Amino acid sequence: MANVYKMKIAGLERELPLCPINDKIDIAAFIIFGDVELTVAASSALLKRAPEFDVIVTPEAKSIPLAYEMARQSGKPYVVARKSTKLYMRDPISVDVRSITTDRQQKLYLGSDEAGMIASKRVLIVDDVVSTGESLAAVEMLVATAGGTVAGACAILAEGDATKREDIFYLEPLPLFEKD
């Protein structure tokens, strides 16, 4: 396959398609959906490095399989910060976020039931890729608003400048691909 970045993640080899972000930079698209083998392996590897926590929180949507599998392996619950309110959500709280992969302003929401699961708890924030850190910052704000404490934040991959962050742990670095 042309225009791919080959890498090893949690001991597994994968080819990530390169996608243009703009006329100067491409990113390697990491899509965990459907990759059960990688989801299980990455979850195990991240849990080995995780601090003590009571609940997992993840932003919707690509990291949901990872959060589910980490919850299954750890026996701890998980909560999804949603991109829109749902009819079943009572008294939702929200924060603004701008992600590199959506390229527009969004909101993340938690209903009062989900916020209650976080209140007074140690929270592990889980994402598939940390790049700009905008989604991570939004989830941190949601956790604080809900009365939880961030115990740690992790991702399978850290992209670009996120590899220099000391407030997250991740399995592998993911470069940005500058064009000529």
Side-chain angles (χ1 to χ4, degrees):
M1 179 181 213
N3 297 323
V4 297
Y5 178 65
K6 295 179 182 184
M7 67 181 304
K8 193 174 267 195
I9 308 166
L12 303 171
E13 292 187 17
R14 293 295 183 265
E15 291 184 355
L16 309 182
L18 296 179
C19 303
I21 283 288
N22 56 42
D23 60 348
K24 297 181 183 198
I25 296 176
D26 287 351
I27 61 169
F30 177 67
I31 310 298
I32 197 170
F33 289 139
D35 195 337
V36 175
E37 179 184 37
L38 181 60
T39 302
V40 171
S43 296
S44 178
L46 287 169
L47 283 169
K48 287 176 184 168
R49 299 183 56 199
E52 289 293 319
F53 67 94
D54 303 306
V55 62
I56 293 167
V57 177
T58 194
E60 191 174 37
K62 290 191 318 180
S63 55
I64 292 173
L66 178 66
Y68 167 81
E69 182 59 22
M70 289 178 73
R72 189 191 71 76
Q73 289 183 24
S74 69
K76 307 281 175 81
Y78 78 102
V79 171
V80 177
R82 304 296 303 259
K83 290 182 180 175
S84 63
T85 58
K86 305 299 178 190
L87 292 175
Y88 59 80
M89 293 174 101
R90 293 181 293 150
D91 303 318
I93 58 174
S94 69
V95 296
D96 293 326
V97 62
R98 184 178 184 90
S99 169
I100 192 172
T101 55
T102 55
D103 195 34
R104 62 182 167 84
Q105 194 69 30
Q106 296 181 323
K107 287 188 177 289
L108 288 180
Y109 300 89
L110 286 177
S112 59
D113 291 340
E114 292 82 13
M117 291 175 64
I118 294 169
S120 302
K121 299 287 193 300
R122 298 170 296 179
V123 175
L124 179 63
I125 299 173
V126 172
D127 210 345
D128 58 333
V129 179
V130 173
S131 186
T132 63
E134 294 292 328
S135 295
L136 176 61
V139 175
E140 288 173 342
M141 286 189 289
L142 268 180
V143 168
T145 302
T149 302
V150 175
C154 65
I156 298 173
L157 305 175
E159 183 173 56
D161 287 343
T163 61
K164 300 172 190 162
R165 293 178 66 136
E166 295 183 8
D167 61 331
I168 63 169
F169 61 98
Y170 57 92
L171 299 181
E172 297 296 334
L174 186 61
L176 295 173
F177 300 87
E178 295 183 22
K179 302 176 192 177
D180 296 329

